[in-house]
């Protein structure tokens, strides 16, 4: 069995409070567990019920704002994991997929999604190192500039 981690204490140490789970904007659930894995639905940069920034990269949204939005998406994904199984059940972050609303010619998707990846590394250390995809897309729900989903390995159910 994997060693138990106190990720909630680590979040507190970083001054981070997990938000409430963002309600789905369509017909899906925020996260699903199967076996020892939790898959989150794509999370938008919604804070206190509002999109933090809207638009596309390469057409009005700065790389810095989008990177911060990717961090917010990852935080919302962790909230979904926490609500389903408890954050302290996480063994490691396995995979992150980031979608970046991109104007024609924008190729900086990896740098944007680093906002999520770096945040997960800050929280989980080596257990936050993950495989990743950063994909440019034409549009995202609600006009969001970025959407992030993740897969987390979690301790077996007792």
């Amino acid at each position: 069995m994997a060693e138990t981690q106190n990720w909630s204490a680590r979040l507190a140490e970083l001054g981070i409070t997990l938000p409430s789970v963002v309600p789905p904007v369509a017909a899906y659930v925020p996260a699903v567990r199967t076996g020892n894995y939790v898959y989150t639905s794509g999370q938008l940069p919604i804070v206190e019920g509002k999109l933090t920034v809207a638009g596309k990269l390469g057409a009005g949204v700065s790389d810095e704002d989008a990177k911060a939005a990717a961090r917010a998406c990852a935080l919302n994904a962790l909230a979904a994991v926490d609500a389903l199984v408890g954050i302290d059940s996480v063994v490691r972050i396995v995979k992150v997929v980031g979608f970046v609303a991109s104007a024609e010619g924008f190729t900086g998707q990896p740098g944007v999604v680093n906002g999520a990846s770096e945040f997960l590394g800050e929280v989980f250390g080596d257990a936050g190192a993950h495989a990743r995809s950063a994909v440019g897309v034409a549009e995202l729900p609600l006009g969001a500039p970025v959407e992030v989903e993740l897969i987390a390995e979690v301790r077996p159910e007792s």
Side-chain angles (χ1 to χ4, degrees):
M1 180 183 251
E3 177 183 334
T4 301
Q5 294 291 330
N6 193 344
W7 303 122
S8 51
R10 175 68 180 146
L11 287 167
E13 180 182 304
L14 293 169
I16 297 168
T17 302
L18 289 174
S20 298
V21 177
V22 175
V25 299
Y28 60 88
V29 294
V32 173
R33 178 183 186 143
T34 184
N36 292 340
Y37 296 93
V38 171
Y39 294 74
T40 70
S41 294
Q43 299 293 314
L44 300 177
I46 294 176
V47 176
E48 297 179 359
K50 296 185 176 151
L51 203 60
T52 60
V53 63
K56 293 184 180 185
L57 277 289
V61 176
S62 73
D63 291 7
E64 296 78 24
D65 286 347
K67 191 173 176 182
R71 182 187 190 281
C73 294
L75 182 61
N76 288 340
L78 292 185
V81 172
D82 183 57
L84 187 64
V85 299
I87 198 71
D88 292 329
S89 295
V90 172
V91 173
R92 72 167 299 134
I93 304 301
V94 177
K95 174 108 189 228
V96 169
V97 179
F99 302 95
V100 179
S102 304
E104 186 175 342
F106 181 78
T107 60
Q109 294 84 3
V112 170
V113 180
N114 277 350
S117 294
E118 291 167 0
F119 170 69
L120 294 168
E122 185 180 352
V123 172
F124 295 104
D126 289 344
H130 52 268
R132 188 182 90 177
S133 298
V135 181
V137 297
E139 300 288 342
L140 286 170
L142 308 180
V146 63
E147 179 175 344
V148 173
E149 63 183 53
L150 61 80
I151 301 168
E153 181 183 2
V154 296
R155 288 194 325 270
E157 293 180 271
S158 28

